[in-house]
Structures are given as structure tokens and as C-alpha cells.
């Protein structure tokens, strides 16, 4: 997304969307035909994805889903709405669907029958009298039954005036088989004692004694093998999304009148309270209302460290309770949960098309008819130049078989499926293929400070005391008083006293102050702080007037110069020390900035805070002072992004708040922290499920790697066809070698895409 400009008013508001599962597609040109037919309908915009075998269709009022299905059927394919997922079914999908099992059976039988035919034809030493009749007996079932899917698809397409990859395979293998039948029954090839050599290139022979049974049977077997490997690879490519969809719990212990009742997760409603025992999955998104535990969210976020949660903390469905018993109140159920939204985003991305794929689809759509013409031209050229019908026929068949555009159709969607699926496993949600192009061009990354670079909450940073005071005692007294207050600074001091704090300017770490005493008296002094009686002493924490010892005074002055908040602790009117509080920088932010620089990006810090605070944070994470933009109002963030773009920069923006949504939408690439608001996530191109800025660098690396894989696949697919067609047309390829090369070009593309599964 590059701008927030609204589209011109159209009837699109009245449009509906549907996703159809398309059956019978065998190559990219099939997908191109279905897409073309659907888009010819009034008020219909369709995208058909060959790899996922789905059509995403937007249609206007007046068009029915039945009309869309009828159009697909008229084109020669099947269409149906995918069944809704059944959350109460046991997890897991069968290793092999019926279609793949049937394909495997057809491949096994064809390969066993074709192998002796190929060996007999290639090795004259194995040829006995009448071997050719045994070859015919073995090859006939392979060509007729093994190749039946190709012949049926070719016939169906021919009835609709179209040609696809199946047309090339069917015409090529039937031509080779038909020639062999003619030579055996009407020529000299059926004579006892006939011998047959094998050549990698086209050779000139007597046409009446030449048989091509090994070509007909071998090509069918090779292409069936390619189809089967391709189908398996496509299943593996989509495995990450399947795993994501199956992460959720199947049932849940809901509290009904103080009793636990087991119900399917689908029956949970917002407001229900349910119990999560150690080791169980949290059934849905909610808030902890009882108990404390550690939650393992690694399956959703890729983060290996469990997160501590207690009363009031949010938890996400499908994460695992690794510690104590929790009672959770459901806040989101069904399609609104984070898991469901993640799965929806991943599936939407996988069904999309990059611009470069649209070009490949257009080429695939006209490629097959062009190849048929090239094959006819090759036959005519060879016949005219050499007068050798056998050589002309062999070259034409090689052209038909080598030229399948399958690899072109698989180049983008398979890489996109694997890349987006792997991203989901790592907590990176890529919203669509067009996002990948943006990641390649980005040279500047704007980082919102609060909640992105920093934690977004006040944290106790340092304790500085007078010479005769004890640090832990000062912290204990201040924590006791502040524990009774709800102010963010008070909560930070109380939490620091209970858990311990590593001060910014000391090398050693402080432990906790231990158990905090209960104040005998507590009073809030507006604008100053709090005062009260603790263990018989009058304690104040805040900005109360009074002289400070040298060390605390210096620390207070320095903290305030850097934009941190400093509060003074006194006991019975005597100043004991100073506590400094600030929005803490995330531990991983400095590493993230280094990783972003390593990707060639210039990090810019953007914040509404004053410059002193902003520059202190920038120094802590390694951002240059010249790249700090401070004191920016929320509504002015968009202007900052546009100003950077006007300077010729391609800008990525990382943010998490409602006030970041417009800037995320305006940036060339928007990255939203998944810990942020729904508005920010909806406006972004990439969502980082966990609130770790390092994931932004990972997301850009993964996107660039996926784009590089797509381009590598397309270079191979285009290059293969560009190089192979002239070789076949000039007689440098035997048709059977051409069949093997064509089958494995598709397998290569899918296998290359599967390498993205190892991205870390």
C-alpha cells in the first residue's frame, strides 16, 4: 500500500466475495482460462490460483454463486464452495488424499510397465526376436490407462476450443503410439528379428521400421511422476497453514454455576469463564481472572521463552499453559480470535498474486497454442529440409512434450505458500504478494518509540541514595507506600521494589526489596506525590521540597535532563535518595536496529515525546541523533512519512497504536506489532505477532528471500522453455528425454520453493 487515497465511488460496496475450490486444473494455462472466463462475467473480478486450486471472486448484486460455478463448469472444470472447518473434529489431516492415492497407484502401475519397454528399446543387447510385440503389450496400458487423465482433459479442453499442457502431452504420446502401431502392423517394424537403437538426438531411419513405444510409455510415466511429486510438494507447501488451523484446543472446561463442564470450543461465548490446567491449551483469547502461570506461545509467535501471566493479563487462544491453574474469561471467540485472524491473513496472502505472476499467467494462457504451431512448423521444416518423415515427426513430438508451461504456473504460488506459511510459524504475517516487492525497495525504516522500541510502560530504572542510607531499605519503604497507589509511576516503583531493578548507571544488579510492609496511613498529595506512615515513620515519595545529598541530587538532575522522571524519597523529613522512572527500552531493540542496518535500512526514531527523551532512547539503541524526529503530534505522523517519501526515500513504518494506523497505511511498507491495536494491524502490510522489534528485521529478510525465490523460479521456468524449445525443434532432444526434463522442471521449482521452510 502506498497511499491512503480512497478509490473512486463505485458499486463495489455492493459486491460480495466468495472462494471456490476449482477441480480439474492441471497447469497454469488451465487457471488462466478459468480466470479469463470468470472475469468476462458482468460485475465479476476473479483471481484463480493454480497452486492452491482456489478462485477468489468478487461479484456484484445480481450475480449468484451458482452462476459462477456454472461458468467454471462450462469451461470444463469443477467448482464448489469449500466446506467450513469443523473445530470439534480431531486434529490432523490424512497424509494422502484420495486423489493423490489414485495418482500414486496410476504412477506405480505405469512405471512398472514402462520400465521394461524403455530398457528393451534403449539396449539392443536385450532385444530378442519379437521383443517389439512384448513392448506393445506393456506400453498400451500405460498410454491408454496411465495417460487417461491427460487424454480426458485434452478432450474436454478441445470441446471448449482450448488447449492446455494436457493437450501437448496427449497429442505427443498418442502420436508416438499411433506411429508405432502403424509401423508394427503396416510397416516393417513387426518383422521378427527387428532391432532398434536409441539416440539422445533425432536420428534419420526408415520410417516404416521406427517405433516410439518407449517415448509414449516413458513420457506418460515421467509426467505422472512429476505430477505426483508436485502434488506431494504442494501439500507440504501448505502444511504450515494446516498446522496453524489445527493449533487450537478442541474442547474446554467452562465454569457453569461453579462447576466445570466440558464443551466443544465452538460453543464458547464471549464472557464465559473457563479453566486451563497446566499443560492444556488455552481455548480462546481472553483475560486471566484467577491464578498465575507461565504461558508458552511458541507455536504462534516463534518465541521460545514462556511469558508470565497473572490476573488482568491477556492470553491468546492455542497457547499452552506451562505452569499453574488459570481461570480465563473469553474476550474473543471463533473467527475473531488471533489464531483465526492469523490463519485468514495467511490464506489471503497465499491466494493472492504478485504482479510478476500475472505476467507469467498471461504468457501461459497463449503458450500452448503457440507451441502447437511451433510443433507443426518444426514438422514442416524438417520434412522440407530432409525429406525424412521419421526425423520430422520425432522433432515435432519432442517440441510438444518439452514445452509444458507448468513450471511457470507454479513459480510464484508455491514460493508464496511456503514463505507465508513459514512466516506464520515465526510470528510474521505477510498480507499479500504485492508486499514482497515493497520489502525489496525499502531503504528507510521509521520506528515509533512507545510500544515499539520501548516497552510502553513505566519501569523503575535506578536507585540513588545518600551515603548513610541502604538502597534496599529505601526501595522497600518507597515500594510499600507506592503499592497503595494506582498511578503509573507508583506502579513502576512498587513492581521494581518487588521484583528488583538493574539501574542504568550501575554495573551491578539490585535484588528485590523483599516483602513490602503495609502502610499504617496513606495520603495522595496531588501534583507532589504520596505520603504516609510506614513502620512508625513518616515517608514521602514524590516532588516534595527539601535539600538533597550530593549523589542523589546529581542523579536527579541527569535523569531530568534525559527526560526521565525522578522522585525523592524522605523519611521523617530527611531525604534518603532518588528513584528514576522511565519507559524502558526493550532489551532486544538495540540488536534489532543493528539487524535493520545490516539489511541496508536507515532507522529513524519517531515520537511525540520531547527531544531529550527521544535522543536518550536513540542513544540506547544505536540510532543517530540526526535520525530522531521528536515532539510529533499523532495526526502529524502521516506528514513525516510523506516528507521522507518526498525526499526520494522508500519508507517502512513500524508501529503499534491507533495513532500509528494512518502512518502505517501511508508508508510504502507498514509493519504492525501484533501486541498493538486492531487499527494498526488492519492498516499494515506485515503483522509481527510478538512485540519484539527483531522480528521486523526477520520479516523483511523472509519477504526478500521469498521474492528472490519467486524470481529464481521464474528465471528457471522461462529459461527452461526458452532453451528447451530450440533444442527440441532442431532435433537435439529425444522425445523421452524431453518428457523427463519437462516433468522435473516443475519438481525443481516446487523443491526450490520448499527451501524456504528452513528460514530461521
Amino acid at each position: 500500500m502506498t497511499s491512503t487515497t480512497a478509490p473512486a465511488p463505485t458499486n463495489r460496496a455492493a459486491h460480495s466475495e466468495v472462494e471456490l475450490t476449482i477441480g480439474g486444473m492441471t497447469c497454469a494455462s488451465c487457471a488462466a482460462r478459468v480466470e479469463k472466463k470468470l472475469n468476462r462475467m458482468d460485475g465479476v473480478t476473479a483471481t484463480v490460483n493454480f497452486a492452491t486450486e482456489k478462485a477468489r471472486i468478487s461479484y456484484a448484486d445480481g450475480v449468484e454463486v451458482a452462476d459462477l460455478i456454472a461458468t467454471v463448469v462450462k469451461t470444463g472444470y469443477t467448482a464448489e464452495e469449500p466446506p467450513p472447518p469443523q473445530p470439534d473434529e480431531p486434529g490432523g489431516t490424512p497424509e494422502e488424499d484420495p486423489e493423490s492415492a489414485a495418482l500414486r497407484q496410476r504412477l506405480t502401475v505405469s512405471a512398472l510397465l514402462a520400465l521394461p519397454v524403455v530398457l528393451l528399446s534403449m539396449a539392443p543387447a536385450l532385444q530378442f526376436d519379437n521383443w517389439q510385440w512384448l513392448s506393445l503389450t506393456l506400453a498400451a496400458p500405460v498410454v491408454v490407462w496411465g495417460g487417461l487423465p491427460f487424454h480426458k482433459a485434452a478432450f474436454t479442453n478441445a470441446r471448449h476450443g482450448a488447449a492446455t499442457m494436457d493437450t501437448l502431452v496427449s497429442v505427443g504420446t498418442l502420436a508416438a503410439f499411433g506411429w508405432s502401431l502403424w509401423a508394427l502392423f503396416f510397416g516393417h517394424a513387426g518383422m521378427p528379428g527387428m532391432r532398434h537403437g536409441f539416440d539422445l538426438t533425432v536420428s534419420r531411419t526408415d520410417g516404416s521400421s521406427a517405433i516410439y513405444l518407449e517415448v509414449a510409455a516413458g513420457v506418460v510415466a515421467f509426467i505422472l511422476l512429476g505430477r505426483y511429486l508436485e502434488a506431494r510438494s504442494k501439500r507440504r507447501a501448505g502444511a504450515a497453514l494446516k498446522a496453524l488451523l489445527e493449533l487450537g484446543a478442541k474442547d474446554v472446561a467452562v465454569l457453569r454455576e461453579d462447576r466445570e463442564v466440558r464443551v466443544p470450543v465452538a460453543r464458547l461465548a464471549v464472557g464465559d469463564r473457563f479453566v486451563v490446567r497446566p499443560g492444556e491449551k488455552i481455548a480462546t483469547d481472553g483475560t486471566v481472572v484467577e491464578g498465575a502461570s507461565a504461558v508458552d506461545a511458541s507455536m504462534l509467535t516463534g518465541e521460545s521463552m514462556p511469558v508470565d501471566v497473572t490476573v488482568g493479563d491477556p492470553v491468546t487462544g492455542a497457547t499452552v499453559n506451562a505452569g499453574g491453574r488459570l481461570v480465563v474469561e473469553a474476550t474473543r471467540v471463533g473467527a475473531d480470535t488471533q489464531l483465526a485472524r492469523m490463519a485468514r491473513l495467511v490464506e489471503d496472502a497465499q491466494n493472492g498474486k504478485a504482479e510478476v505472476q500475472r505476467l507469467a499467467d498471461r504468457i501461459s494462457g497463449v503458450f500452448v497454442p503457440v507451441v502447437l504451431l511451433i510443433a507443426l512448423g518444426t514438422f514442416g521444416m524438417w520434412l522440407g529440409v530432409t525429406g525424412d518423415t521419421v526425423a520430422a515427426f520425432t522433432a515435432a513430438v519432442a517440441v510438444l512434450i518439452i514445452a509444458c508451461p507448468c513450471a511457470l504456473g507454479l513459480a510464484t504460488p508455491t514460493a508464496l505458500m511456503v514463505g507465508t506459511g513459514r512466516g506464520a510459524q515465526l510470528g510474521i504475517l505477510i498480507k499479500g504478494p504485492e508486499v514482497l516487492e515493497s520489502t525489496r525497495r525499502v531503504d528507510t525504516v521509521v520506528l515509533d518509540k512507545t510500544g515499539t522500541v520501548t516497552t510502553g510502560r513505566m519501569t523503575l530504572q535506578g536507585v540513588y541514595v545518600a551515603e548513610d542510607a541502604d538502597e534496599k531499605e529505601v526501595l522497600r519503604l518507597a515500594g510499600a507506600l507506592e503499592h497503595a497507589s494506582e498511578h503509573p509511576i507508583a506502579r513502576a516503583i512498587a513492581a521494581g521494589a518487588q521484583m528488583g531493578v538493574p539501574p542504568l548507571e550501575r554495573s551491578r544488579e539490585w535484588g528485590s526489596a523483599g516483602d513490602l510492609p503495609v502502610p499504617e496511613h496513606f495520603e495522595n498529595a496531588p501534583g507532589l506525590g504520596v505520603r504516609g506512615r510506614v513502620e512508625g515513620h513518616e515517608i514521602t515519595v514524590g516532588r516534595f521540597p527539601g535539600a538533597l545529598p550530593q549523589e542523589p541530587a546529581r542523579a536527579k538532575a541527569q535523569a531530568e535532563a534525559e527526560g526521565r522522571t525522578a522522585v525523592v524519597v524522605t523519611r521523617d523529613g530527611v531525604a534518603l535518595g532518588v528513584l528514576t522512572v522511565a519507559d524502558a527500552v526493550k532489551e532486544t531493540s538495540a540488536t534489532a536496529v543493528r539487524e535493520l542496518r545490516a539489511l541496508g535500512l536507515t532507522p529513524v526514531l519517531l515520537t511525540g515525546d520531547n527531544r531529550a527523551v527521544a535522543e536518550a532512547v536513540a542513544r540506547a539503541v544505536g540510532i543517530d541523533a540526526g535520525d530522531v524526529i521528536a515532539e510529533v503530534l499523532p495526526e502529524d505522523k502521516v506528514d513525516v512519512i510523506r516528507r521522507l517519501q518526498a525526499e526520494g526515500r522508500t519508507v517502512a513504518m513500524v508501529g503499534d497504536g491507533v495513532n500509528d494506523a494512518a502512518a502505517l497505511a501511508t508508508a510504502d511498507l507498514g509493519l504492525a506489532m501484533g501486541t498493538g491495536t486492531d487499527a494498526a494491524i488492519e492498516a499494515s502490510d506485515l503483522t509481527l505477532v510478538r512485540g519484539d522489534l527483531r522480528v521486523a528485521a526477520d520479516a523483511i529478510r523472509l519477504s526478500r528471500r521469498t521474492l528472490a525465490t519467486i524470481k529464481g523460479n521464474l528465471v528457471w521456468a522461462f529459461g527452461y522453455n526458452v532453451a528447451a524449445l530450440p533444442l527440441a525443434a532442431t532435433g537435439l532432444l529425444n522425445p523421452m528425454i524431453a518428457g523427463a526434463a519437462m516433468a522435473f522442471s516443475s519438481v525443481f521449482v516446487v523443491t526450490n520453493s520448499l527451501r524456504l521452510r528452513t528460514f530461521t
Side-chain angles (χ1 to χ4, degrees), residues 237 239-241 244 298-303 342-343 345-346 349-350 415-431 436 686-690 695 698-703 705-706 756-760:
L241 179 57
L244 194 65
S298 56
M299 68 283 295
L300 279 185
T301 66
E303 176 58 67
M342 283 176 64
L345 284 171
V346 173
Q350 292 182 351
L416 197 60
M417 285 171 73
V418 182
T420 53
R422 181 60 182 150
Q425 290 175 328
L426 297 173
I428 301 163
L429 303 182
I430 302 170
K431 285 198 176 175
L436 304 178
L686 286 159
T687 301
L688 316 176
V689 175
R690 68 179 190 264
V695 186
D698 291 339
I700 292 173
R701 283 197 304 116
L702 174 61
S703 298
R705 180 85 64 83
T706 304
L756 287 167
R757 296 173 77 192
T758 62
F759 177 88
T760 55

Side-chain angles (χ1 to χ4, degrees), residues 319-344:
T319 56
V320 177
N321 179 13
R325 178 182 182 273
L326 295 174
V327 177
V328 178
E329 182 174 308
T331 55
R332 284 176 172 168
V333 295
D336 293 330
T337 64
Q338 183 170 339
L339 176 65
R341 290 164 67 201
M342 283 176 64
R344 197 159 57 245

Side-chain angles (χ1 to χ4, degrees), residues 552-600:
R554 185 196 63 79
K556 181 175 183 290
Q558 183 175 342
E560 289 174 344
E562 292 178 352
R564 283 181 278 149
T565 300
V567 296
V568 179
V569 182
T570 71
R571 180 174 58 191
D572 298 328
V574 178
L576 298 179
V578 167
L579 309 180
T580 61
V581 178
D583 180 7
V585 174
K586 292 179 182 177
E587 293 179 2
T588 56
S589 291
T591 304
V593 168
R594 286 196 298 273
E595 291 179 1
L596 290 168
R597 286 191 188 279
L599 290 169

Side-chain angles (χ1 to χ4, degrees), residues 382-742:
W382 274 81
L383 196 61
V385 172
T386 66
D388 188 336
T389 309
V390 175
F393 174 79
T394 306
V397 169
V399 167
L400 287 173
I401 291 170
I402 197 73
C404 167
C406 238
L408 274 179
L410 291 168
T412 295
T414 53
L416 197 60
M417 285 171 73
V418 182
T420 53
R422 181 60 182 150
Q425 290 175 328
L426 297 173
I428 301 163
L429 303 182
I430 302 170
K431 285 198 176 175
E434 63 282 351
V435 172
L436 304 178
E437 289 284 354
S438 300
T439 61
R440 180 177 60 85
R441 298 190 302 268
V442 164
D443 53 34
T444 302
V445 57
V446 175
L447 307 174
D448 175 59
K449 181 185 78 71
T450 305
T452 303
V453 177
T454 65
T455 60
R457 59 181 181 274
M458 302 301 279
T459 308
L460 182 59
Q461 301 282 291
V463 181
Y464 307 91
V465 299
E467 289 183 8
D468 57 347
D470 178 75
E471 294 96 339
K472 287 191 178 181
E473 178 66 10
V474 172
L475 194 54
R476 192 173 74 90
L477 294 172
L481 205 56
E482 296 284 37
H483 195 268
S485 173
E486 288 299 314
H487 193 279
I489 292 176
R491 288 204 301 267
I493 292 172
Q498 289 173 312
M499 295 186 295
V501 53
L504 291 179
E505 298 169 14
R506 303 290 179 89
S507 59
R508 63 190 179 90
E509 289 192 1
W510 300 97
S512 72
D515 293 334
L516 302 178
V518 178
E520 301 155 23
H521 169 71
F522 173 82
E523 180 187 346
N524 191 6
L528 294 176
V530 293
R531 60 164 65 95
R533 179 174 289 275
V534 180
E535 296 180 338
H537 296 282
E538 290 295 330
I539 307 297
T540 67
V541 183
R543 297 173 180 171
F544 295 94
L548 276 174
Q550 183 177 355
E551 169 68 8
R554 185 196 63 79
K556 181 175 183 290
Q558 183 175 342
E560 289 174 344
E562 292 178 352
R564 283 181 278 149
T565 300
V567 296
V568 179
V569 182
T570 71
R571 180 174 58 191
D572 298 328
V574 178
L576 298 179
V578 167
L579 309 180
T580 61
V581 178
D583 180 7
V585 174
K586 292 179 182 177
E587 293 179 2
T588 56
S589 291
T591 304
V593 168
R594 286 196 298 273
E595 291 179 1
L596 290 168
R597 286 191 188 279
L599 290 169
L601 306 177
T602 301
V604 173
L605 187 68
L606 179 65
T607 180
D609 279 347
N610 65 59
R611 178 157 288 276
V613 173
E615 290 185 350
V617 171
R619 279 195 301 275
V621 298
I623 295 177
D624 299 336
D627 291 323
V628 174
I629 303 173
E631 301 173 14
V632 176
L633 295 174
E635 56 269 25
D636 293 335
K637 289 185 176 182
V638 170
D639 294 333
V640 171
I641 301 297
R642 287 181 176 151
R643 189 176 75 238
L644 291 170
Q645 290 170 330
E647 292 172 5
R649 303 198 202 188
T650 304
V651 180
M653 165 82 182
V654 187
D656 73 330
V658 172
N659 60 351
D660 297 323
L664 288 168
T666 303
D668 299 282
L669 180 70
L671 296 92
M673 293 292 199
T675 50
T677 63
D678 290 351
I681 291 169
E682 287 299 321
S684 68
D685 302 301
L686 286 159
T687 301
L688 316 176
V689 175
R690 68 179 190 264
D692 185 339
L693 190 56
R694 289 177 301 179
V695 186
D698 291 339
I700 292 173
R701 283 197 304 116
L702 174 61
S703 298
R704 287 180 176 179
R705 180 85 64 83
T706 304
L707 182 64
T709 302
I710 289 172
K711 292 193 170 179
N713 285 347
L714 287 170
V715 166
W716 163 263
F718 276 115
Y720 158 80
N721 282 118
V722 168
L725 272 174
L727 288 175
T730 52
L732 297 176
L733 277 181
N734 178 282
M736 193 175 68
I737 302 300
M742 187 277 287

